[in-house]
Structure formats: structure tokens, C-alpha cells
Amino acid sequence: MSQGTSLAQLLTSRKLLFVTGKGGIGKTLVSVAMAQAAAAAGLRVLLVESSSRDQIAPLFGLDPVGHSETVAAPGITCINLNTAGNFREYITKYLGKKKMFDTVFSHRVVQSFFNTVPGLAEAMMLGRLYYTCDVRDVDQRPDLVIFDSPASGHFLSLMTTPDAIVESGLAGPMLRDTQKVRDFLRRKNDVGVIYVCTPEPLVVSEAMDFLPVIQEKSPAKLCGVIVNRIPPSLGHDATRQSPAHGAGESRLLSFLRERSAKSAAALDMVRVSTQQFPGIMYLGLRDLGFVDDPLPSDFHRTFLTEEALHP
Amino acid sequence: MTSPSEIDALLESKKIIVMVGAGGVGKTTASALLAIRAAMAGRRVALLSIDPAKRLASALGLGLGHEMRPVALMPAPDKSAPRGSLHASMLDQKAVFDRMVRLHAPSEKIAERIMRDPLYRAASTNLSGPLEYMALARLQELTQDKDFDLVILDTPPDSHALDFLKRPNILAGFMENRVMTWLIKPVLTMGKLGLGRLIGVGEKLAGGVASLTGFSALRSFGEFLLLMQEVIEGFHKTGEQVVATLQDKKTAFILVAVPTRAAERSAVFLADQLAEMDYRVDGLVINRCLPVASATELANVTASLPAAARDFVNARYFGEDKVIGNLIKNLSSSRKKNRLVVRIEDQGADFHDIDGLTRLALSF
């Protein structure tokens, strides 16, 4: 696996990285740490999420920023894109009717409208990312956009939208724009998907089922797998099951042991799978036990230290 | 933490328990555990789940179909037999949606037309708004069912989950506001006449939007809404009944969280929102807690571990303590009453069968 791409290479060469994976496994922390690492390397990073409430801003000690690009740290801006905001920008750009939009569209009914026209919200989201990475004036473009993306299932619906729209029989500017977005997402050297999982057999086997689907159906392709929360080694003594152990043994110790064993089994599964996707990044990150916020500005140094994933 | 008898008192006295929490915190598992515990103690429980993890679904024997199906309960570890019953189902959004349409449409013919509409087919299967609404509609049905005396609802795995409680009839929004009429009418007119004289701000914009999207999406949306008019009014009525049910004192909301800062923020936010809407939060379930009885046990175990492992276990233990402390503080400030706090130990995400679930359900 040593021939695989490194995280540093991905951060410096790509324009847009999607970070996805099952819910609750640390996508947001991984995205933020990646942004810190990229900013430390001198890049201007835009950190994007699309959540009902800001998840990223509190990690920088900020109040919710919502749909407006806000400086979070030197070199890092963040934004929580929402569909109404994306749509507003798109309509305004084409029709130049900002005030009119606000009169009519600044209503919660609008949200229902977006949600009811299938694919509209997704198209607007991808369009906004494309615009930020590739269309906007060069001096306003970030070097790297990291999108802390929705969890696996929703991510797939997001990424399959461009094909669906192109084939749907829509016409006009939205169809042309969607084709451009799709072409952009297909640019392997600019755009990639990083999949985050944890070292649990069930989670890894779900990942192994999901990754080929991304490769087949998403215009943006897989460029990395991160195994987050690898438990630290328990050392020789603790791993050895001595006769003294058994019914009276500490539950904590047996829990830790069981976790280590599961993690080892899951990492074996990951290693086998690396042959399926040669050349991409495989990165293991250790379990920190607990992460308090706001994050220290050098959090990436503690967090993005590679854990033994390689055989 | 709360004593077992208080947990059982809650399970004994409520008719509805709504579990809320962010995605990925083990809400479905917590719902199943409470359902099993209540059923073991003698209640006739209906568990309505939205999207259970595959393995949990198979442990409970949850299959296709939205009808409640019996779950075969196992004896407790002390060999005592279950005293009540447990039924469970996965929400079949489309089935509930179809039934609501048939119920509220002015005629069978219109119901058929609605169900043939491509927009309806997309909306009734894919959307999160209707999903939440349908979960509530199904909850309302189940509370009328004489076969059950406790319904446990596992809400959608999304932090939008509360929007629908605020305004259970999301579709009713269309009826209340003339904005939609502005948007829809010109499009319909244009559709009929081939061209339309667009008058007024909204109409111009609607025309613009329509031209951007190639027109058809918005037009079919307008037609769809007109078709749905009476059904939407019916939805609205059900929505009002649901609100009354949820505000009843026989209904409990239970927050589910895990000991992380992100989950803490989310739980506090949810609790505030619920309080604002006059729904009562009766308890807090914290999943994935470190299985350790005391700081002494912690010290004994970590003493023999390498430094990195010791740091990791300590960070997790003390972090968990901080989060739980904050949650309890935050939740008790909004109401005087003491709330239920249940701490569930980390199971390494593995539930193989109903036996394991039962053991865990009776352990806290």
C-alpha cells in the first residue's frame, strides 16, 4: 500500500474533496482536520457542510455561520450551505432579481417547494460547489473545497442527481449547467471522494458494499479511505488471556480487549480490499477517546498521525 | 443516574414514547431496548421504527410490510417469562401515504389520479418531509389500536426531525400562503394557453424559474397541488390530532445521545426546541458509555496499560463524565422535575439476537 496516494498529495492537488461515510463516525472531525492540514500547507480552504444546524462552526468556537462564508481560522473559511440559499444565488445570477426573490422566496413554503421537486436541492448543491471551485473569479476561488458530505445513502442520491437530470427531459439553462457540473465532477485529478469508516467488521463490510457503488454511479470517484478510531494497542500483558481472567475480570478490560480484536479483524478486511482500489489513499487514524471543542489550531497534528494500517 | 424502578414507572405510565436524537446515536437500538423492557414487564407494546439497521431489524424479526408483527420475546436471564407482548414494524411510508390519500380524496377517481401522478410517486417514497408526517399519521393510528397500550416511536434519523413537530402538516403550508398561488397560477395559465401574460412580481419570477428548469417541473408541481387540495386539508386535520396526542401527559419524549460534544449540542438543541413547543422531555438515554463501574476500576485497569491506551481510556471516561454532567444540568434547568437518565454501556455495535437485546434491556 505504500504506493498509494498520501493525504498531503490529495490536499495539494485536488480542488474539491467529498468526505462521506456512515453517520456518526467522525466525518466532520476528519474534514476539519484535513482543512487545518491544508491551511498549514499554505492553501486557502473552504470547508462546506449542509446541515440543519452548523456542526463545523462550533469546532472553531464560532456561533452558527449559516449560508455565508465566514473566516474560521487563518486560511480556512466555512459555510453551511442550504438549499434556499443555493437556489437564491442561482436564480439571482440568471434573472438578476434578488429583491424579488427575497420577497417571494424568503418563506418556509419555499423549502417545501425545493423538497417536492425531486433532485432540485441536490442539483443546486452540486452546482454551488462547482461554481465555487471552477467558475468564480480566480482571486475569489479557494484552492481547496472540502465538503463534509451527507452520510452514505444520501450522498449517493446527491451524486446520482446529475445523471438523473440529464436524462430527465428537462431543458434550458439548468440542463446545460447540470451537464457542466457533471463534467467537472468527473475530473479525477480535481475532484475526489474520501470514504470514512471505523474498524468494526460490520462497518467495514458495509463500506465494502458501498464503495463499488460509488465507483459505478457517482461522477466523482473514490480517492481515499480513512479508517477512523483505531483503538490504541493494549500492550502485551493486557492482550494475553491469562487463567486468572474470567468471570471476575474487569468488564472494562474485556471490553477493551474485545474492541482490539474486532479492530484487528476489521483492518484485515480493509487490507484485503485495498487490492480492489489500487492507487488510492488508505489512512488509519487513532481513536482519541474524546475530543473537546473548540479544537486547538494544531488539532490535525495530533489527529492526522497515521496509525498502523499497513501490513 | 436513575433507579430501575423509575424507568419501569415511566414505561408503565405512558401511552406513547417518542425517541428523538441526531443520526448515528443509536436511537433505534434504544427504542428497541425500552420496548423489550416494557413488554417483559407486562405491557402490550407497539414499536414503530423508521429505518432500523439491518442487524437490529433481523434480531427483532422485522420484515417487509408495515403491519405490526409479533416479536418472539425470550425469557429474562433469571428465567422469568415475558409478561406482556411486543409487536414491531418498519414504517412503510408509501403505504401510509396511499391510505391517507384514499381517506381524504373527494373521490376514488381523484385518489387514483393522484396516485398515478409521477410527482406523487416521487414524493411519497423519497422525501423526508412526508416521511416524518407519515410516521406521525401512523402513530395516530396505532394509538387508537386496542391491541396496544404503549406505542414507542423511533423518529427519523435526521436533525430535521423536529420541524414536523413544530408544524406537523408540512404540506399545509401551501394552503396558508398566497405565495404558492402566485407561483402556481401563472404557470398553469401559461400551460393552458401556451403563453401567458405575466402580471406581478411573483408571476414574473415563476415564469423565470420555469424557464430555467425547462418549465415542466413547476407546472406539474402546480397541477399536483391543485389535485391534492382536499387531501392536503385532510392531512391538516390529522396533523392537529397528532399535536394534541403528543402534548398529552401520557406522552413522553426521550432524548437519545452519545457522550460526544457534537451529540451533546444536538441534544440540548432538541430539548430546547421541544420545550418551546410544549412537548415534555421525560428522559435522556446515553448510549455507548464506557463499561466501567467506578473511577477505582478505571485506575486499576489503566495502571497495567501502555501510556497511549491509558490516555485514550482516561480521555473517554472523563469526557463522557463532562458530557453527561452538562446534559443533566441543561435538561434540568428547563423544568424543575427530575428526569430519567439511562446510561447504556457500549456493546461494540453488536446485537446478534433478541436474547442479547433482552439481557441488555433488563440490565440498566
Side-chain angles (χ1 to χ4, degrees):
Chain A
M1 269 182 293
S2 49
Q3 74 276 19
T5 322
S6 75
L7 180 62
Q9 280 169 310
L10 287 182
L11 295 177
T12 47
S13 64
R14 299 302 201 273
K15 285 182 165 184
L16 172 60
L17 289 171
F18 292 92
V19 179
T20 186
K22 188 174 139 67
I25 50 157
K27 287 187 293 292
T28 304
L29 273 185
V30 166
S31 303
V32 171
M34 279 168 44
Q36 286 185 332
L43 301 177
R44 287 175 308 170
V45 189
L46 177 66
L47 198 44
V48 178
E49 68 178 316
S50 178
S51 329
S52 55
R53 277 175 323 108
D54 287 43
Q55 308 283 333
I56 288 174
L59 296 176
F60 290 101
L62 298 174
D63 288 335
V65 299
H67 192 96
S68 92
E69 288 184 24
T70 307
V71 176
I76 304 175
T77 44
C78 65
I79 188 168
N80 182 2
L81 292 178
N82 63 55
T83 312
N86 292 333
F87 199 46
R88 176 182 192 266
E89 285 156 6
Y90 185 70
I91 297 288
T92 310
K93 190 169 156 285
Y94 268 99
L95 305 175
K97 290 167 183 160
K98 193 183 268 183
K99 207 170 168 198
M100 184 193 289
F101 184 95
D102 287 343
T103 317
V104 179
F105 275 61
S106 63
H107 194 276
R108 71 188 156 70
V109 166
V110 177
Q111 205 57 52
S112 314
F113 167 75
F114 297 132
N115 290 336
T116 311
V117 178
L120 190 60
E122 289 84 358
M124 290 296 148
M125 180 63 60
L126 293 174
R128 177 58 155 77
L129 293 171
Y130 162 63
Y131 174 80
T132 310
C133 295
D134 213 52
V135 180
R136 213 190 238 185
D137 290 342
V138 175
D139 60 332
Q140 290 192 27
R141 261 184 233 170
D143 300 307
L144 171 66
V145 173
I146 297 173
F147 181 28
D148 176 15
S149 310
S152 321
H154 285 125
F155 179 72
L156 198 62
S157 343
L158 174 71
M159 301 308 274
T160 49
T161 301
D163 278 343
I165 290 182
V166 169
E167 288 151 22
S168 71
L170 278 184
M174 209 169 125
L175 175 68
R176 288 197 295 279
D177 288 348
T178 304
Q179 279 164 335
K180 284 187 212 154
V181 169
R182 188 172 66 169
D183 291 342
F184 169 69
L185 295 175
R186 282 175 174 167
R187 272 156 44 188
K188 269 178 80 171
N189 293 329
D190 288 333
V191 181
V193 177
I194 293 181
Y195 191 88
V196 186
C197 62
T198 50
E200 296 161 76
L202 187 63
V203 176
V204 173
S205 73
E206 263 181 43
M208 294 310 137
D209 291 343
F210 186 66
L211 296 181
V213 183
I214 295 187
Q215 292 306 73
E216 188 199 327
K217 296 194 169 159
S218 158
K221 302 300 177 196
L222 191 69
C223 67
V225 170
I226 290 181
V227 186
N228 188 22
R229 293 197 201 137
I230 300 180
S233 157
L234 298 176
H236 189 59
D237 284 352
T239 23
R240 202 175 43 205
Q241 191 95 30
S242 79
H245 294 131
E249 173 183 292
S250 152
R251 278 183 307 136
L252 175 60
L253 193 56
S254 47
F255 166 74
L256 292 173
R257 255 206 216 103
E258 196 187 331
R259 235 199 108 192
S260 281
K262 267 190 200 149
S263 170
L267 289 178
D268 282 341
M269 292 165 66
V270 173
R271 279 184 205 113
V272 170
S273 86
T274 55
Q275 287 148 18
Q276 204 179 348
F277 308 104
I280 68 166
M281 171 191 76
Y282 278 89
L283 178 65
L285 301 177
R286 68 194 166 104
D287 194 337
L288 299 174
F290 184 73
V291 177
D292 217 338
D293 55 37
L295 300 173
S297 59
D298 61 350
F299 173 68
H300 65 287
R301 284 186 213 288
T302 344
F303 187 45
L304 297 181
T305 315
E306 185 160 353
E307 203 53 24
L309 180 60
H310 297 211
Chain B
M1 297 302 119
T2 312
S3 74
S5 62
E6 289 172 88
I7 298 168
D8 293 324
L10 179 101
L11 295 176
E12 181 56 45
S13 63
K14 300 294 177 183
K15 280 168 113 170
I16 297 176
I17 295 179
V18 184
M19 309 290 282
V20 288
V25 295
K27 208 164 24 198
T28 305
T29 307
S31 308
L33 292 176
L34 290 184
I36 290 172
R37 189 174 173 115
M40 295 300 286
R43 302 215 79 191
R44 294 171 306 150
V45 186
L47 170 63
L48 176 59
S49 188
I50 306 298
D51 181 25
K54 262 184 239 153
R55 190 175 302 194
L56 183 66
S58 71
L60 289 174
L62 284 182
L64 300 168
H66 73 288
E67 290 308 323
M68 282 285 164
R69 301 211 312 200
V71 174
L73 292 168
M74 302 299 279
D78 68 5
K79 310 275 186 268
S80 58
R83 307 209 322 259
S85 65
L86 173 60
H87 285 69
S89 78
M90 256 158 83
L91 181 75
D92 181 343
Q93 184 184 356
K94 188 158 177 6
V96 188
F97 216 139
D98 287 355
R99 208 155 55 210
M100 296 289 290
V101 167
R102 283 188 204 284
L103 187 66
H104 296 298
S107 71
E108 183 60 21
K109 223 173 116 191
I110 291 185
E112 290 302 324
R113 267 185 69 196
I114 290 174
M115 283 186 261
R116 275 199 310 271
D117 191 295
L119 253 172
Y120 174 79
R121 288 208 297 269
S124 60
T125 47
N126 298 330
L127 294 181
S128 64
L131 171 69
E132 289 147 7
Y133 178 78
M134 290 308 144
L136 290 180
R138 181 80 177 117
L139 174 72
Q140 189 66 23
E141 280 182 358
L142 287 170
T143 55
Q144 320 288 319
D145 194 324
K146 297 273 180 291
D147 289 340
F148 307 116
D149 41 37
L150 173 65
V151 183
I152 298 185
L153 172 68
D154 168 28
T155 57
D158 192 314
S159 37
H160 291 288
L162 286 187
D163 293 354
F164 74 106
L165 290 176
K166 215 182 257 174
R167 190 166 283 282
N169 192 348
I170 58 139
L171 293 169
F174 293 121
M175 306 300 292
E176 285 168 17
N177 199 283
R178 306 186 66 170
V179 171
M180 271 340 272
T181 326
W182 284 0
L183 283 170
I184 294 161
K185 267 204 181 140
V187 178
L188 282 176
T189 317
M190 287 190 329
K192 278 180 195 144
L193 302 179
L195 59 120
R197 273 189 62 202
L198 302 176
I199 308 155
V201 172
E203 299 189 348
K204 269 189 206 150
L205 187 61
V209 172
S211 73
L212 273 180
T213 57
F215 187 68
S216 62
L218 202 62
R219 185 187 54 202
S220 49
F221 181 63
E223 286 168 349
F224 175 60
L225 281 182
L226 288 186
L227 201 58
M228 287 280 284
Q229 199 159 321
E230 295 201 25
V231 174
I232 288 171
E233 276 164 19
F235 281 14
H236 191 64
K237 271 189 218 116
T238 307
E240 281 169 354
Q241 290 166 357
V242 172
V243 171
T245 307
L246 292 178
Q247 283 173 341
D248 191 276
K249 57 180 189 299
K250 292 279 187 188
T251 299
F253 282 81
I254 291 188
L255 282 172
V256 186
V258 290
T260 67
R261 287 297 192 204
E264 177 193 327
R265 277 197 300 274
S266 172
V268 170
F269 174 79
L270 288 173
D272 289 348
Q273 296 275 297
L274 286 168
E276 228 169 74
M277 293 181 260
D278 281 333
Y279 297 126
R280 64 191 73 224
V281 177
D282 287 82
L284 172 67
V285 171
I286 302 152
N287 267 324
R288 278 177 230 143
C289 292
L290 204 59
V292 59
S294 64
T296 321
E297 186 192 349
L298 180 82
N300 285 340
V301 170
T302 52
S304 65
L305 297 178
R310 188 162 57 230
D311 290 350
F312 154 76
V313 178
N314 280 329
R316 191 167 155 175
Y317 180 81
F318 292 107
E320 179 182 313
D321 216 41
K322 275 195 276 189
V323 168
I324 296 179
N326 273 348
L327 279 173
I328 292 173
K329 202 172 69 194
N330 264 299
L331 296 187
S332 45
S333 62
S334 53
R335 252 172 221 237
K336 285 161 283 172
K337 213 178 84 182
N338 274 336
R339 283 200 185 72
L340 196 75
V341 180
V342 178
R343 194 175 161 277
I344 298 179
E345 292 182 350
D346 198 330
Q347 304 298 309
D350 265 344
F351 295 102
H352 296 286
D353 51 25
I354 186 90
D355 237 358
L357 283 168
T358 307
R359 225 175 303 121
L360 185 61
L362 298 176
S363 73
F364 49 78

